[in-house]
């Protein structure tokens, strides 16, 4: 029998228990042994819930029980999760976590402790919810130099942008719906400001580079400034707006960014809607690959956590991960990235045209009849630093800038 302790009985923790209860027989077949959830650590009690008989309140019970071989950490946040996970690994217990904040900040160190103890620190659920992406990067795409990963990595904001785009829905209403569906973070600021997607692309960037990519170094812009008017321009241009998290190789460096972007229908992420996530990967010998599926929510996330538990159970005394050193990677300067920009501006397009052409080059004007006193334009491809210098001359007039992907 393989004994597991689950730390945290929130949305994902209760999902983990549900997945094991629902699919236990099949899971046991796959492991070749019986999987038993021995403890569930939580501050609260759950009277009337069958889980109550497994509830413990003291972490030391887990550490002191040599029968517990695998620990699931689904508490979220850095502390006490970090201290608990580190102590579990040091005590020779493999850990599976969905905690992207923990993985993004301490992944390299925790992987190294797991390696030293010949056990595993696994975190499939930390990126893309139920979509397999960590294991494919570590185990399948190992022949490639990964040149690009671009993803829709946050279900909450994708759900919101989809509703805003297709239904003209109001920002606050759709945020409440996403929260009610259990997609949003406890503090939804992490979703709408892009921090959640940023931690996830930091993890993926670290995995493809083998070095530490700090999420604080990644330029991060959320969706809070996206308006109904922006959506109207997007539609007029035949594009949609998605919150993209992207990491592209430039020589020895990576260019990483999280920002809302306009996508044309040819882009592989254009049709990724609602709470779904998708991750586009380009390898130098593979070419393109796409990973698509349920990116948030209780059971999809729990499915990935339990799959990690199965993997840990199949490799109890063998480390199966991975290249991610603590040495920090310097990212490429954001100003050096080249792309086109969509700009909304106050004023009259006819009057501004020659000035704008002089500043930005051959721009394309976009007009929306119902939006008076403003217009939009698309710049040619230019470096972001150059765009910023030129746009600075018009800062009183510019209402919004959105990057164009592809
Ligand atoms: N709040 C996250 C999201 C949960 O909306 O994608 C999954 O990490």
């Amino acid at each position: 029998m393989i004994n597991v302790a689950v730390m945290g009985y929130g949305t994902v923790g209760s999902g983990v228990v549900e997945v094991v209860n629902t699919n236990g027989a099949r899971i046991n077949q796959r492991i070749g042994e019986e999987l038993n959830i021995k403890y569930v650590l939580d501050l609260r009690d759950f009277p009337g819930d069958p889980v109550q008989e497994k509830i413990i309140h003291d972490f030391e019970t887990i550490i002191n029980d040599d029968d517990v071989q695998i620990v699931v950490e689904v508490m979220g946040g850095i502390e006490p999760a970090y201290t608990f996970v580190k102590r579990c690994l040091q005590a020779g217990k493999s850990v599976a976590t969905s905690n992207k904040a923990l993985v993004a900040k301490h992944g390299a160190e925790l992987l190294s402790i797991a390696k030293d103890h010949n056990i595993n620190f696994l975190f499939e659920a930390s990126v893309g919810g139920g979509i397999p992406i960590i294991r494919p990067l570590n185990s399948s795409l190992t022949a490639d130099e990964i040149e690009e990963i671009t993803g829709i990595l946050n279900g909450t904001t994708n759900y919101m942008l989809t509703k805003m785009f297709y239904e003209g829905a109001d920002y606050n209403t759709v945020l409440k719906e996403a929260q009610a569906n259990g997609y949003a973070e406890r503090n939804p600021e992490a979703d709408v400001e892009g921090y959640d997607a940023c931690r996830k692309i930091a993890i993926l960037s670290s995995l493809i580079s083998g070095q530490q990519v700090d999420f604080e170094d990644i330029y991060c812009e959320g969706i809070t400034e996206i308006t109904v008017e922006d959506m109207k321009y997007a539609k007029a241009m035949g594009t949609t707006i998605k919150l993209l998290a992207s990491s592209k190789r430039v020589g020895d460096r990576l260019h990483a960014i999280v920002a809302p972007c306009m996508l044309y229908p040819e882009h592989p992420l254009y049709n990724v809607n609602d709470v779904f996530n998708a991750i586009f990967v380009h390898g130098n010998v593979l070419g393109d690959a796409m990973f698509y599926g349920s990116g948030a929510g209780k059971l999809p996330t729990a499915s990935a956590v339990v799959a990690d538990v199965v993997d840990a159970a199949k490799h109890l005394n063998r480390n199966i991960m991975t290249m991610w050193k603590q040495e920090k990677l310097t990212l490429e300067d954001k100003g050096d990235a080249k792309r086109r920009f969509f700009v909304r501006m106050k004023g009259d397009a006819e009057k501004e045209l020659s000035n704008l052409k002089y500043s930005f080059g051959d721009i394309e004007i976009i007009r929306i009849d119902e939006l008076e006193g403003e217009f939009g334009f698309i710049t040619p491809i230019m470096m972001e630093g150059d765009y910023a210098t030129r746009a600075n001359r018009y800062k009183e007039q510019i209402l919004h800038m959105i990057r164009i992907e592809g």
Side-chain angles (χ1 to χ4, degrees):
M1 181 183 283
I2 310 249
N3 286 300
V4 176
V6 177
M7 303 197 292
Y9 196 65
T11 305
V12 183
S14 58
V16 166
V17 172
E18 190 176 329
V19 167
V20 172
N21 287 340
T22 308
N23 292 340
R26 183 63 82 195
I27 289 167
N28 293 345
Q29 270 179 359
R30 287 182 178 135
I31 299 174
E33 265 193 80
E34 190 187 335
L35 189 77
N36 174 46
I37 297 183
K38 186 167 184 183
Y39 303 120
V40 175
L41 177 72
D42 204 286
L43 292 171
R44 299 160 296 176
D45 283 307
F46 298 88
D49 185 324
V51 80
Q52 183 60 37
E53 65 188 45
K54 297 174 191 284
I55 290 284
I56 55 166
H57 301 300
D58 186 0
F59 168 71
E60 300 304 324
T61 310
I62 297 172
I63 280 291
N64 293 329
D65 188 338
D66 289 341
D67 287 344
V68 173
Q69 291 150 298
I70 301 171
V71 178
V72 167
E73 186 280 304
V74 281
M75 300 186 295
I78 299 291
E79 283 296 353
Y82 170 59
T83 304
F84 288 0
V85 167
K86 194 168 171 176
R87 286 192 60 203
C88 287
L89 294 170
Q90 286 167 334
K93 302 174 194 298
S94 286
V95 174
T97 184
S98 61
N99 185 338
K100 54 241 151 183
L102 174 72
V103 177
K105 193 163 168 58
H106 297 291
E109 182 198 4
L110 296 171
L111 281 165
S112 149
I113 297 171
K115 193 164 186 217
D116 291 346
H117 289 77
N118 230 6
I119 49 166
N120 290 292
F121 175 61
L122 301 170
F123 44 88
E124 182 62 72
S126 66
V127 181
I131 307 170
I133 181 63
I134 306 289
R135 195 165 291 105
L137 284 178
N138 281 322
S139 310
S140 309
L141 302 177
T142 47
D144 271 74
E145 192 69 74
I146 303 297
E147 293 179 332
E148 174 180 350
I149 295 195
T150 297
I152 293 176
L153 298 179
N154 183 267
T156 300
T157 47
N158 202 41
Y159 179 87
M160 292 173 68
L161 290 173
T162 303
K163 292 246 166 189
M164 287 170 76
F165 184 77
Y166 287 104
E167 298 171 19
D170 150 67
Y171 181 94
N172 288 317
T173 312
V174 291
L175 175 57
K176 283 202 187 90
E177 281 178 33
Q179 286 175 295
N181 287 332
Y183 307 146
E185 295 300 297
R186 214 172 303 167
N187 177 1
E189 195 188 24
D191 297 297
V192 295
E193 297 289 358
Y195 307 147
D196 176 76
C198 190
R199 287 185 168 90
K200 291 168 177 168
I201 197 67
I203 293 170
L204 297 180
S205 302
S206 298
L207 286 174
I208 63 168
S209 66
Q211 285 180 241
Q212 176 66 24
V213 174
D214 286 334
F215 66 86
E216 295 95 334
D217 294 345
I218 298 177
Y219 175 79
C220 178
E221 191 180 304
I223 66 159
T224 52
E225 306 288 316
I226 298 292
T227 61
V228 174
E229 289 77 19
D230 294 331
M231 289 294 182
K232 287 186 175 153
Y233 281 102
K235 280 188 182 163
M237 290 161 60
T239 64
T240 190
I241 302 176
K242 297 287 181 192
L243 183 66
L244 295 189
S246 180
S247 197
K248 294 181 185 167
R249 192 172 291 281
V250 188
D252 290 340
R253 293 188 175 193
L254 289 178
H255 165 64
I257 183 168
V258 175
C261 291
M262 285 176 157
L263 301 183
Y264 287 95
E266 299 72 38
H267 195 284
L269 297 171
Y270 177 92
N271 280 315
V272 178
N273 287 323
D274 298 316
V275 71
F276 287 102
N277 281 192
I279 303 131
F280 167 79
V281 179
H282 182 85
N284 67 336
V285 286
L286 161 81
D288 297 344
M290 272 277 282
F291 299 81
Y292 170 86
S294 306
K298 173 175 162 169
L299 291 179
T301 310
S303 158
V305 174
V306 175
D308 274 350
V309 171
V310 171
D311 215 6
K314 285 159 82 175
H315 300 95
L316 274 182
N317 298 302
R318 187 158 74 86
N319 180 261
I320 51 175
M321 283 282 230
T322 184
M323 114 179 155
W324 179 351
K325 289 183 270 171
Q326 294 188 42
E327 182 194 336
K328 191 170 148 140
L329 184 77
T330 307
L331 295 174
E332 199 208 26
D333 194 285
K334 164 174 150 271
D336 292 343
K338 281 187 181 162
R339 60 172 83 242
R340 289 186 298 158
F341 300 86
F342 164 75
V343 185
R344 267 178 63 209
M345 192 175 233
K346 283 192 262 183
D348 183 76
E350 304 307 327
K351 285 194 195 138
E352 301 292 348
L353 188 58
S354 59
N355 273 341
L356 290 174
K357 278 196 164 168
Y358 178 76
S359 301
F360 292 96
D362 199 10
I363 58 166
E364 182 188 338
I365 298 283
I366 314 288
R367 286 189 192 82
I368 307 277
D369 289 342
E370 61 187 291
L371 298 179
E372 285 175 19
E374 67 165 272
F375 62 97
F377 67 90
I378 303 170
T379 72
I381 293 176
M382 59 178 63
M383 293 218 292
E384 180 140 356
D386 287 343
Y387 165 79
T389 310
R390 296 168 199 201
N392 197 36
R393 294 179 210 147
Y394 299 90
K395 63 177 184 241
E396 304 302 328
Q397 277 170 277
I398 289 180
L399 296 163
H400 202 185
M401 176 275 277
I402 303 175
R403 293 166 183 81
I404 299 176
E405 178 72 12

